[in-house]
């Protein structure tokens, strides 16, 4: 019987053809939608990998004797080599006082001053890059900020107002108190790891880890780890970004160097296009882990860690704007002009 002569067969044939066409159209839909690349060019992903890598280095440096001071042996280790200044040799009369002071200068003060000069030199030109891209403490700060935001819609318990429950890319979420069951144990876990790792910078790492695995730490080891875990847990839960802003000497000296250079890299704001911010929800303010206002003048950004989360947020919210984002890293004359423009125009809106 022909399909044309049988209405039911004709309907079945057409339905089959329609299903085939729909199936074909489904198959050509890409798994990864076009334009799904990060609007910031992968900057935050690169920063995440840098933080992970440096945190791993922070944990493993004592294990491989890359950098630590051994209280038991009475000398330091650096890049796998014993680092002695000659105190034992001086006591035994094998070297004189002049040689001892020379060793102290070359093996203690010179490396410290060299590392400090490198840190300050980087900060002078680019700001607190170490803090935002490498510091193992700041990576914990950001992690707990995100978890606490999921639990309370605030990045810390001291935040006065809740943040918008949306991401710069438009995704929405809702706060759920059950996230506290993740936040608190993870903060304590980070504190425990930090306490143990800090101890391995002072005692032989294999002794410390061996005693922990066997459940037989010495009395002093137990006191150090327990006290460190309690103190760091309190700091991670209640004062983590306050420590970064007001108590960290490494961050303070970087900020002072950065503030002293008017040509240093800053987050620049195109104030003339400020009206474009009306289409945004101040995403740059809400993502800042240091709770700063990125569109403000430099002196109000004293503790900026150059994490560029504000820049990435602006690039995401303005990705359909033909004029591009309003925030970007600028330096040199552009940094001077940016600062002059902001000072002339007064404060930016919150």
């Amino acid at each position: 019987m022909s399909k044309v002569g049988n209405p039911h067969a004709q309907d079945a044939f057409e339905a089959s053809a329609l299903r085939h066409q729909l199936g074909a159209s489904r198959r050509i839909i890409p798994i990864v939608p076009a334009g799904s690349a990060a609007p910031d060019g992968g900057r935050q992903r690169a920063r995440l990998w840098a933080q992970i890598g440096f945190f791993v280095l922070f944990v493993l440096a004592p294990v491989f004797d890359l950098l630590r001071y051994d209280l038991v042996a009475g000398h330091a280790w650096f890049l796998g080599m014993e680092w002695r200044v000659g105190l034992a040799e001086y006591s035994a009369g094998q070297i004189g006082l002049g040689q001892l002071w020379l060793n102290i200068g070359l093996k203690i003060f010179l490396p410290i001053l060299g590392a400090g000069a490198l840190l300050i030199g980087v900060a002078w030109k680019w700001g607190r890059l170490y803090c935002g891209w490498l510091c193992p403490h700041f990576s914990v700060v950001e992690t707990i900020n995100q978890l606490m935001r999921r639990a309370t819609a605030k990045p810390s318990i001291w935040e006065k107002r809740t943040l918008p429950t949306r991401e710069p890319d438009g995704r929405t979420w809702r706060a759920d108190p059950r996230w506290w069951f993740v936040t608190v144990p993870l903060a304590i876990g980070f504190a425990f790891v930090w306490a143990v790792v800090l101890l391995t910078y002072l005692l032989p790492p294999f002794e410390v880890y061996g005693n922990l695995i066997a459940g037989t730490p010495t009395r002093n080891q137990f006191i150090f780890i327990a006290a460190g875990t309690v103190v760091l847990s309190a700091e991670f839960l209640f004062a983590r970004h306050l420590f970064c802003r007001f108590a960290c000497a490494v961050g303070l000296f970087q900020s002072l160097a950065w503030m002293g250079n008017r040509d240093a890299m800053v987050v620049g704001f195109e104030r003339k296009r400020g009206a474009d911010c009306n289409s945004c929800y101040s995403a740059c303010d809400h993502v800042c882990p240091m709770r700063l206002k990125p569109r403000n003048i430099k002196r109000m950004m004293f503790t900026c860690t150059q994490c560029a989360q504000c820049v990435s947020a602006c690039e995401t919210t303005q990705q359909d704007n033909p004029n591009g984002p309003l925030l970007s890293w600028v330096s040199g004359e552009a940094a001077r002009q940016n600062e002059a423009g902001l000072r002339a125009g007064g404060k930016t809106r919150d």
Side-chain angles (χ1 to χ4, degrees):
M1 183 181 295
S2 67
K3 293 189 288 290
V4 177
N6 189 330
H8 296 291
Q10 179 70 22
D11 292 342
F13 175 79
E14 292 176 352
S16 176
L18 179 61
R19 286 195 298 269
H20 178 75
Q21 293 175 358
L22 290 175
S25 64
R26 290 192 188 100
R27 284 194 295 272
I28 64 173
I29 296 177
I31 296 176
V32 180
S36 63
D40 68 351
R43 183 191 302 111
Q44 292 304 318
R45 180 174 297 179
R47 193 173 71 89
L48 174 62
W49 280 111
Q51 288 178 313
I52 292 173
F54 199 82
F55 195 93
V56 172
L57 178 63
F58 165 70
V59 173
L60 297 181
V63 175
F64 294 99
D65 293 330
L66 299 179
L67 179 66
R68 69 183 181 91
Y69 185 83
D70 195 326
L71 292 175
V72 176
H75 63 79
W77 289 85
F78 181 66
L79 298 180
M81 301 178 293
E82 293 185 3
W83 201 256
R84 301 175 183 269
V85 297
L87 289 175
E89 290 80 358
Y90 174 74
S91 299
Q94 297 175 2
I95 62 173
L97 182 60
Q99 183 63 47
L100 175 63
W101 279 111
L102 180 62
N103 290 347
I104 291 174
L106 293 176
K107 294 190 174 184
I108 296 180
F109 290 108
L110 185 60
I112 292 175
L113 292 175
L118 177 62
L119 183 71
I120 296 302
V122 171
W124 167 267
K125 188 171 184 178
W126 295 293
R128 291 173 62 168
L129 279 182
Y130 168 77
C131 294
W133 288 70
L134 298 177
C135 178
H137 179 272
F138 193 68
S139 61
V140 175
V141 170
E142 292 189 89
T143 300
I144 298 178
N145 276 5
Q146 291 300 320
L147 291 173
M148 198 167 288
R149 189 166 69 103
R150 292 290 181 178
T152 65
K154 298 190 296 183
S156 77
I157 62 174
W158 310 115
E159 193 82 5
K160 295 180 180 179
R161 295 178 298 179
T162 59
L163 301 183
T165 55
R166 59 179 294 190
E167 302 292 349
D169 61 5
R171 290 176 299 161
T172 59
W173 53 275
R174 66 183 182 87
D176 189 336
R178 289 177 295 182
W179 277 98
W180 279 112
F181 292 107
V182 178
T183 305
V184 174
L186 192 62
I188 296 174
F190 273 127
F192 175 77
V193 169
W194 262 76
V196 172
V197 171
L198 290 177
L199 185 59
T200 63
Y201 276 86
L202 301 173
L203 296 178
F206 291 101
E207 175 188 332
V208 174
Y209 289 124
N211 289 346
L212 283 177
I213 293 173
T216 58
T218 65
R219 179 176 179 273
N220 290 337
Q221 290 174 2
F222 175 79
I223 292 175
F224 184 97
I225 294 173
T229 300
V230 171
V231 172
L232 288 168
S233 294
E235 193 264 332
F236 287 155
L237 286 170
F238 303 110
R240 57 194 176 278
H241 67 278
L242 298 177
F243 174 84
C244 292
R245 293 184 67 175
F246 305 115
C248 178
V250 176
L252 173 63
F253 283 110
Q254 289 180 89
S255 292
L256 290 174
W258 180 58
M259 294 296 291
N261 181 12
R262 295 179 60 190
D263 293 330
M265 184 177 72
V266 297
V267 174
F269 174 51
E270 294 192 33
R271 185 170 178 78
K272 294 180 179 179
R273 295 175 48 214
D276 289 351
C277 289
N278 294 330
S279 63
C280 181
Y281 65 104
S282 296
C284 58
D285 295 346
H286 300 315
V287 299
C288 179
M290 297 294 281
R291 315 312 305 139
L292 304 175
K293 303 292 185 182
R295 291 168 287 176
N296 221 324
I297 59 178
K298 185 176 178 179
R299 64 181 176 82
M300 301 300 294
M301 297 287 290
F302 181 79
T303 56
C304 174
T305 62
Q306 302 290 15
C307 69
Q309 289 197 54
C310 58
V311 177
S312 295
C314 187
E315 289 170 340
T316 300
T317 58
Q318 301 294 327
Q319 59 183 319
D320 295 328
N321 189 331
N323 295 320
L326 290 87
L327 294 181
S328 63
W329 270 335
V330 296
S331 59
E333 183 60 28
R336 288 174 177 263
Q337 293 300 322
N338 174 78
E339 188 71 0
L342 288 175
R343 288 183 184 277
K347 292 185 178 180
T348 60
R349 72 175 183 86
D350 291 337

